[in-house]
Amino acid sequence: SSSSSSSSSSSSSTTTKSSLTSSSLTAVDTSCENKLDTMGEGLCALYTANGVDCDEYFCDDCTYAGLCDELCDFCIEVEEEDEVSTNDECKDQLDENIGEGECSFYEESGYACDEFFCPTCAGKGYCDSFCGWCSTDVDGTITWYER
């Protein structure tokens, strides 16, 4: 059996840009996400940590509008139920995405755990274990600590 099914799939997407923009203007976008992170987990935090300013690059009428809305806090406030309890893993997302030692490197570069990687900070979730915001017991029980 030969697998040649992947060659013809690229020409099927014919949605025009104008139809996308006109339809998205009518509905208020309440989704709050970092679209850039779909290309690589943690990219928004990485870019902003390296000097890419939210207000200059990611604002509504900026070059990269909408790519890092959640991290830049550009979201439309919607009544939200306690969604903080979704943290079900205690890990260092930055180390997993980029490579071992990234959390340590960023801390040495001036990105302090309590100022950048804290549970309510811009870099939340990226170095949780490294910064001691959580711990995992031998039986897999995760404990989260308040600052």
Side-chain angles (χ1 to χ4, degrees):
S1 68
S2 70
S3 58
S4 62
S5 60
S6 62
S7 59
S8 64
S9 61
S10 60
S11 61
S12 62
S13 123
T14 56
T15 310
T16 60
K17 197 169 194 171
S18 60
S19 71
L20 285 174
T21 47
S22 62
S23 65
S24 61
L25 290 176
T26 54
V28 177
D29 185 14
T30 56
S31 70
C32 181
E33 59 187 352
N34 295 323
K35 290 187 177 75
L36 186 62
D37 287 352
T38 60
M39 294 173 228
E41 186 79 27
L43 282 177
C44 284
L46 185 66
Y47 279 111
T48 54
N50 284 293
V52 178
D53 186 63
C54 284
D55 295 326
E56 281 183 52
Y57 294 97
F58 298 122
C59 70
D60 281 347
D61 51 2
C62 291
T63 312
Y64 305 108
L67 288 182
C68 295
D69 283 354
E70 183 181 15
L71 181 115
C72 294
D73 207 20
F74 291 147
C75 301
I76 298 162
E77 288 300 316
V78 183
E79 195 67 35
E80 53 184 83
E81 297 298 315
D82 300 14
E83 62 176 75
V84 181
S85 61
T86 57
N87 287 342
D88 53 359
E89 288 184 84
C90 179
K91 60 183 180 180
D92 297 326
Q93 192 65 51
L94 201 60
D95 285 0
E96 288 185 15
N97 295 342
I98 300 166
E100 202 62 43
E102 284 299 308
C103 288
S104 176
F105 170 76
Y106 274 98
E107 188 186 46
E108 289 165 20
S109 304
Y111 295 96
C113 283
D114 57 355
E115 290 170 18
F116 187 76
F117 293 117
C118 77
T120 56
C121 297
K124 66 176 182 273
Y126 293 109
C127 296
D128 286 346
S129 179
F130 173 84
C131 290
W133 302 122
C134 58
S135 67
T136 309
D137 297 339
V138 284
D139 64 354
T141 305
I142 295 171
T143 307
W144 289 89
Y145 304 102
E146 294 300 319
R147 191 143 77 103

